[in-house]
Amino acid sequence: MKNIRNFCIIAHIDHGKSTLADRLLEFTGTVDGKDLQEQVLDDMELERERGITIKSHAIQMNYKYKNEDYILNLIDTPGHVDFSYEVSRSIAACEGALLIVDATQGIQAQTISNLYLAIANDLEIIAVLNKMDMPTAMPEIVKDQIVELLGGKPEDIIEASGKTGLGIEQILATIIENVPHPEGNVDQPLQAMVFDSVYNSYRGIITYIKIFNGTIKEKDLVKFVNTGKQYNVDEVGVLKLKPEKRKSLSAGDVGYIISGIKTSVEVKVGDTVTHVANPCKEGIHGFEEVKPMVFAGVYPIEAEDYEDLRAALERLQLNDASLTFIPESSIALGFGYRCGFLGLLHMEIIQERLDREFDMNVITTVPNVSYEVTNKRGIKLPVHNPAGLPDPKDIEFIEEPYIEADIITKTDYFGNIVKLCLDKRGIMLNQTYLSADRIEVKFKMPLAEIVFDFYDKLKSISKGYASFDYHQIGYEQAKLIKLEILLNGEKVDALSTLIHEDHAYSFGRRMVDKLGDLIPRQQFDVAVQAAIGAKIIARSTIKAVRKDVTAKCYGGDISRKRKLLDKQKKGKKRMKQIGNVEIPQTAFLAVLKLD
């Protein structure tokens, strides 16, 4: 066990951790020849397309150092704030972390957030300055920032480049010398923590585990502590580029087990695996349950695809434990699921994966956050969507979730960013100059205000230089009202939102104008209205597609034309009563990008 090192790579998005992981795999000979490609661990088509890491990936490397053989288990983690749960799971399976900082950009918001996660778990931190081959690198300035954040000496920070391979040997040597080996006892009862799982259509569910105590081998009868279910182990192994079978795994190892589990509900991330004959006294206290931030309804376009959608969501949940879902129904859209996501990018990725991996065409409703409503009798009710809001006469007050946002930016954009946050009902908590031209600012804001277009706006006004991170801090009272959209007098569930009363009119106005542009013209006039209760606050009319019925009248009395137009008018009126307006999927998504 003293020759095992478990470590993860943490960094802000786009600081080059996947490229650095490539060099580590290449240098240790784990990957070579035809398998060698850029971002080798990002095996999902979506990850390669967007150039971001969505899933954390575990891989084992073998390395000889001072004539001793070492086993290094590396976990590459995502950098985007929406996937921070993946990072927390990876950290729970490690004893050390490589903190990668881009030498051209310096410390960013997510770097600080991931670092605090690692420190809270007592991980040994190794600071690495990446992209040293870039002409715009500022090593001295960035090293000062790291020392201020982490302590230590500037000369301890490793200079590296994922492109050229600079500093790779030094990184491996530092990991072996500084990262503690896993603690554990091979002779104690088996105690292994599940940190990920993946579905294989032939073998069932493959469970990834980190073993704290004991040994696990083929044919063992094991049980999952939380669910109480028992299984025979068919295969155990380690995670190389492709899984490699082993006879047994013991304390300190990171690997996988296959035990023929078919239903995804039976495997929970954070659960403990132990032997049935000689169980451990208690489960491992892994990481806390994930708390979704953003909720949206996901409905199949065809009603008969409802069960297929359930199966697809269950498979995705196996691979992405931060996705939650419960069944719900809507008058307009039929049966579907109310899904909880960690953010808008997470929601977009899940929608893409449903389409690509499971060929599911879905409609997603307007995303919103969950509120707490206290009624006149003093009972608190959680409300996840506007349709579930009690009658306004019965509401005492509504509370909405608040977050603390941490933004790091260049001083040139500071004024515009403060204005953006204040427009979003933010309250400034403090500001700190990190250097002469970089500033960190903390805001307290309602979560609902950042759900829509906050991230995009922040990036555009700062020309991509601002970085953003947030965490939830509780609920506070707010003056919220329910804004509904009506098409020809019929309410559209999927487009109704809970909104602050100061923003209701302008939001309603923009919404009906946008829908007026997106909904195709019908054979009759379509009224698109925004309403608060019984009061209509904005309206847009989609004009009917009309046939020129008077084209055949050449001259003659005006009454001939009038008669034909009246006849057409009656037909349109009849059509409107039985007519049905189809809302395209783009209309649901356009609400997110109103500006």
Side-chain angles (χ1 to χ4, degrees):
M1 199 192 301
K2 67 179 178 51
N3 285 15
I4 297 175
R5 301 288 182 272
N6 300 320
F7 69 100
C8 59
I9 299 185
I10 54 175
H12 188 76
I13 189 167
D14 205 26
H15 278 202
K17 55 194 169 313
S18 296
T19 313
L20 202 73
D22 288 354
R23 294 294 80 76
L24 289 169
L25 296 176
E26 193 183 350
F27 191 82
T28 55
T30 311
V31 177
D32 55 8
K34 65 179 190 307
D35 293 327
L36 195 61
Q37 52 173 346
E38 284 189 19
Q39 276 91 33
V40 70
L41 292 180
D42 294 350
D43 51 10
M44 211 187 293
E45 192 187 334
L46 253 178
E47 293 181 311
R48 307 189 71 80
E49 218 170 83
R50 291 180 178 231
I52 57 173
T53 305
I54 293 167
K55 282 285 305 157
S56 44
H57 299 270
I59 191 163
Q60 189 178 95
M61 305 182 286
N62 295 81
Y63 185 58
K64 204 177 188 76
Y65 178 70
K66 292 185 179 169
N67 292 327
E68 277 197 67
D69 289 326
Y70 287 89
I71 292 171
L72 309 176
N73 291 310
L74 151 72
I75 304 180
D76 180 23
T77 63
H80 195 281
V81 58
D82 280 14
F83 304 110
S84 52
Y85 186 61
E86 287 284 327
V87 182
S88 73
R89 286 159 48 186
S90 307
I91 282 172
C94 293
E95 284 83 35
L98 287 185
L99 178 75
I100 311 279
V101 182
D102 186 335
T104 63
Q105 293 181 48
I107 298 270
Q108 301 290 333
Q110 194 63 29
T111 317
I112 296 173
S113 165
N114 287 340
L115 174 68
Y116 288 159
L117 262 179
I119 290 172
N121 280 276
D122 288 337
L123 263 61
E124 177 65 36
I125 313 288
I126 298 168
V128 177
L129 203 55
N130 197 17
K131 302 194 186 179
M132 284 299 293
D133 58 314
M134 301 279 278
T136 51
M138 323 170 283
E140 300 312 315
I141 297 169
V142 180
K143 277 184 180 178
D144 288 346
Q145 293 172 10
I146 297 173
V147 169
E148 202 170 310
L149 186 67
L150 257 183
K153 301 177 194 147
E155 52 269 25
D156 293 344
I157 298 162
I158 302 168
E159 295 186 2
S161 164
K163 272 258 167 58
T164 63
L166 167 78
I168 298 299
E169 207 168 336
Q170 195 186 346
I171 290 173
L172 289 165
T174 312
I175 289 167
I176 289 167
E177 290 186 353
N178 291 11
V179 173
H181 62 75
E183 298 288 334
N185 191 335
V186 183
D187 304 322
Q188 281 189 357
L190 173 68
Q191 205 179 24
M193 181 179 72
V194 178
F195 69 91
D196 207 351
S197 51
V198 59
Y199 187 82
N200 181 306
S201 41
Y202 300 107
R203 312 289 310 265
I205 290 159
I206 301 172
T207 312
Y208 295 168
I209 55 168
K210 153 89 185 281
I211 301 178
F212 284 79
N213 290 309
T215 305
I216 187 168
K217 52 187 184 296
E218 276 182 45
K219 308 285 187 288
D220 278 358
L221 182 63
V222 296
K223 70 170 181 179
F224 285 70
V225 173
N226 283 358
T227 57
K229 294 274 171 58
Q230 299 183 3
Y231 306 98
N232 277 311
V233 178
D234 299 333
E235 186 183 309
V236 299
V238 295
L239 300 155
K240 295 279 189 162
L241 194 57
K242 291 185 172 62
E244 273 187 23
K245 196 173 168 180
R246 292 280 189 273
K247 285 199 169 60
S248 68
L249 294 174
S250 40
D253 283 331
V254 172
Y256 70 89
I257 56 169
I258 299 174
S259 45
I261 306 169
K262 289 286 184 280
T263 46
S264 48
V265 192
E266 293 173 24
V267 179
K268 272 200 160 46
V269 162
D271 203 347
T272 305
V273 181
T274 189
H275 284 133
V276 173
N278 181 17
C280 58
K281 290 190 176 66
E282 55 172 5
I284 299 160
H285 301 298
F287 17 78
E288 67 271 16
E289 279 288 300
V290 61
K291 295 183 187 72
M293 299 277 198
V294 176
F295 295 86
V298 174
Y299 293 87
I301 286 175
E302 301 297 331
E304 61 264 26
D305 290 343
Y306 177 73
E307 279 304 318
D308 293 346
L309 178 61
R310 181 189 187 90
L313 285 169
E314 279 181 0
R315 300 266 171 88
L316 274 182
Q317 197 178 35
L318 254 188
N319 200 245
D320 181 351
S322 51
L323 169 70
T324 59
F325 64 93
I326 50 168
E328 75 163 3
S329 62
S330 142
I331 301 158
L333 300 167
F335 290 100
Y337 294 94
R338 171 146 210 84
C339 298
F341 308 98
L342 293 184
L344 275 196
L345 177 69
H346 186 211
M347 172 178 146
E348 206 179 307
I349 295 292
I350 293 289
Q351 216 175 324
E352 279 276 311
R353 288 183 70 183
L354 281 172
D355 182 27
R356 290 184 189 203
E357 295 172 30
F358 304 96
D359 208 14
M360 293 293 315
N361 273 334
V362 293
I363 286 177
T364 311
T365 64
V366 179
N368 57 3
V369 298
S370 58
Y371 298 91
E372 286 188 349
V373 176
T374 303
N375 61 18
K376 293 275 199 254
R377 295 183 298 285
I379 301 165
K380 261 192 184 176
L381 309 163
V383 172
H384 293 309
N385 61 353
L389 200 69
D391 186 23
K393 293 196 287 289
D394 194 35
I395 296 173
E396 186 66 40
F397 57 84
I398 303 175
E399 292 174 299
E400 63 175 336
Y402 267 71
I403 57 152
E404 187 178 292
D406 191 0
I407 299 167
I408 295 177
T409 178
K410 288 196 165 181
T411 43
D412 311 3
Y413 313 115
F414 179 63
N416 289 339
I417 286 172
V418 169
K419 183 181 182 304
L420 171 70
C421 295
L422 294 175
D423 288 348
K424 297 278 186 187
R425 298 193 279 138
I427 300 161
M428 191 194 280
L429 299 175
N430 65 26
Q431 63 187 65
T432 318
Y433 277 89
L434 300 174
S435 66
D437 64 339
R438 289 173 81 249
I439 188 166
E440 179 185 7
V441 56
K442 286 190 189 320
F443 269 92
K444 181 171 134 187
M445 295 165 78
L447 178 61
E449 294 288 348
I450 68 153
V451 161
F452 284 117
D453 50 4
F454 180 79
Y455 199 69
D456 293 346
K457 279 185 175 169
L458 180 73
K459 285 291 177 196
S460 57
I461 61 177
S462 67
K463 299 191 172 61
Y465 276 109
S467 65
F468 169 69
D469 185 55
Y470 65 88
H471 60 271
Q472 202 167 337
I473 52 172
Y475 284 76
E476 288 192 16
Q477 277 190 43
K479 292 179 181 172
L480 297 169
I481 44 182
K482 186 175 170 185
L483 178 74
E484 292 178 307
I485 298 294
L486 290 83
L487 281 185
N488 276 346
E490 298 263 329
K491 288 177 187 171
V492 183
D493 269 6
L495 290 172
S496 59
T497 49
L498 273 176
I499 192 162
H500 195 268
E501 60 180 31
D502 296 350
H503 299 174
Y505 176 75
S506 62
F507 186 78
R509 176 75 267 158
R510 281 164 31 220
M511 193 116 147
V512 295
D513 288 347
K514 188 83 173 180
L515 289 171
D517 296 339
L518 286 169
I519 293 172
R521 289 170 72 187
Q522 312 289 324
Q523 294 281 344
F524 48 88
D525 280 2
V526 178
V528 185
Q529 296 165 311
I532 296 168
K535 185 183 173 191
I536 305 294
I537 58 165
R539 173 187 168 126
S540 164
T541 307
I542 303 167
K543 284 294 177 194
V545 182
R546 298 177 72 104
K547 182 180 169 189
D548 190 357
V549 288
T550 59
K552 61 187 176 189
C553 298
Y554 294 101
D557 190 55
I558 186 71
S559 58
R560 287 179 66 202
K561 286 187 178 180
R562 183 65 41 234
K563 190 175 163 189
L564 285 166
L565 288 167
D566 282 349
K567 189 177 172 188
Q568 186 189 34
K569 200 173 174 183
K570 279 178 190 159
K572 295 278 180 205
K573 199 172 180 182
R574 244 195 340 272
M575 211 183 269
K576 187 171 184 171
Q577 286 165 354
I578 58 162
N580 193 332
V581 185
E582 286 282 312
I583 307 175
Q585 169 71 345
T586 45
F588 292 104
L589 297 178
V591 184
L592 309 182
K593 302 180 175 75
L594 275 178
D595 295 338

